[in-house]
Amino acid sequence: MTQTRTATPGELVVVTGMSGAGRSTAAKELEDLGYFVIDNLPPSLLNEVVKLIDDSRGPGQPVAVVVDVRSGLFFEELRATVADNTTGRHTTLLFLEADDNVLVRRQDAARRPHPLQGTGRLLEGLQREREALAALRGMADVVIDTSNLNVHQLTAQVAEKFGDPQVLKLAITVVSFGFKYGIPVDADYVADMRFLPNPYWVPELKEHTGKDDAVARYVTSQPDAERFLDAWLPVLEIVSSGYLREGKRFLTVGIGCTGGKHRSVAMTEEIARRLTAMGYEATAAHRDLGRE
């Protein structure tokens, strides 16, 4: 089983490789993982940029720089910088590659010429690029062949190799709402609490909300509430693991009742509490509380 590598504080990741092999996807994932990402950086500026980041964000800020074939003759300087570790940081060279036929297909789909193609064929540009990158390919600490990977699979591999387990946790927002005001447009999953007895019709509870202990106890002590929680939380576990596998890091769960004041609020708080106890990064939010 492959182990997830914890990102080293202050780590520098240099991302390079073939055009169309997924550098932009890798850079976006590194940014999501907390890296300060700089695209198309001339290698001659690498040491200076790292120093600026050390001064402004501290030496613990992980950094990723994307260097492509447009850097031309500067590649020799990049090789020396990585080999000699002149930045003073733990440096990892990530190289992305793919088969020529795959790169040609991707480049054609993007409708963009290869930077080394000139007036010749696309395949000729790819061959020139391979020659220019050969030395860096040989120095690479991590090589990912993306020929048979989709975007989600590449994202997962980058996260596995460079992610901090804390960062890789799914962030779940559980938001209460009232159906009378509409379903939250950003909700990935929605559950309806209108099957539970409504505290609105209990005189001593009517003016309180689901955040008050008396209302919360009334709602969550209902037998059907417990049955719902026992059935719903395992569903969220399945969804959460699938979201992470597909490269999604945020899940919004909408919990609704009529007005968004009693049942949905109480159940949202309880679901968020249980998810937190299960190890998830869960937050409760109440969209319509106070509107009545």
Side-chain angles (χ1 to χ4, degrees), residues 12 42 104 106 110 114 121 135 165 184-185 193-194 199 229 291:
L12 170 64
V104 168
R106 291 174 182 171
H114 189 278
R121 298 167 54 213
V185 295
M193 298 298 106
R194 291 176 294 186
L229 291 167
R291 294 186 67 168

Side-chain angles (χ1 to χ4, degrees), residues 97-123:
E97 65 179 8
D99 295 337
D100 282 347
N101 61 330
V102 174
L103 295 174
V104 168
R105 186 169 64 249
R106 291 174 182 171
Q107 206 75 18
D108 284 342
R111 299 179 182 274
R112 297 181 62 187
H114 189 278
L116 298 185
Q117 181 177 345
T119 58
R121 298 167 54 213
L122 173 57
L123 192 57

Side-chain angles (χ1 to χ4, degrees), residues 238-288:
I238 295 171
V239 170
S240 298
S241 61
Y243 265 44
L244 282 176
R245 185 179 61 249
E246 294 301 312
K248 301 177 185 293
R249 308 217 180 280
F250 303 94
L251 171 64
T252 300
V253 179
I255 305 295
C257 65
T258 303
K261 179 179 178 180
H262 296 110
R263 293 166 290 183
S264 64
V265 172
M267 291 295 279
T268 289
E269 291 285 336
E270 182 63 15
I271 291 170
R273 184 188 68 78
R274 295 194 183 197
L275 287 172
T276 299
M278 293 163 61
Y280 292 100
E281 183 183 317
T283 304
H286 306 291
R287 191 193 70 177
D288 299 324

Side-chain angles (χ1 to χ4, degrees), residues 41-122:
L41 178 73
S44 58
L45 298 178
L46 184 56
N47 287 346
E48 183 177 344
V49 167
V50 168
K51 184 179 184 305
L52 288 172
I53 294 172
D54 286 348
D55 292 342
S56 61
R57 292 176 174 246
Q61 169 65 56
V63 179
V65 297
V66 183
V67 181
D68 64 29
V69 75
R70 288 172 291 179
S71 297
L73 297 176
F74 292 119
F75 267 122
E76 185 60 36
E77 188 170 349
L78 176 63
R79 287 174 56 197
T81 299
V82 173
D84 299 338
N85 192 26
T86 58
T87 65
R89 285 173 171 245
H90 176 273
T91 302
T92 301
L93 180 59
L94 167 62
F95 192 97
L96 300 169
E97 65 179 8
D99 295 337
D100 282 347
N101 61 330
V102 174
L103 295 174
V104 168
R105 186 169 64 249
R106 291 174 182 171
Q107 206 75 18
D108 284 342
R111 299 179 182 274
R112 297 181 62 187
H114 189 278
L116 298 185
Q117 181 177 345
T119 58
R121 298 167 54 213
L122 173 57

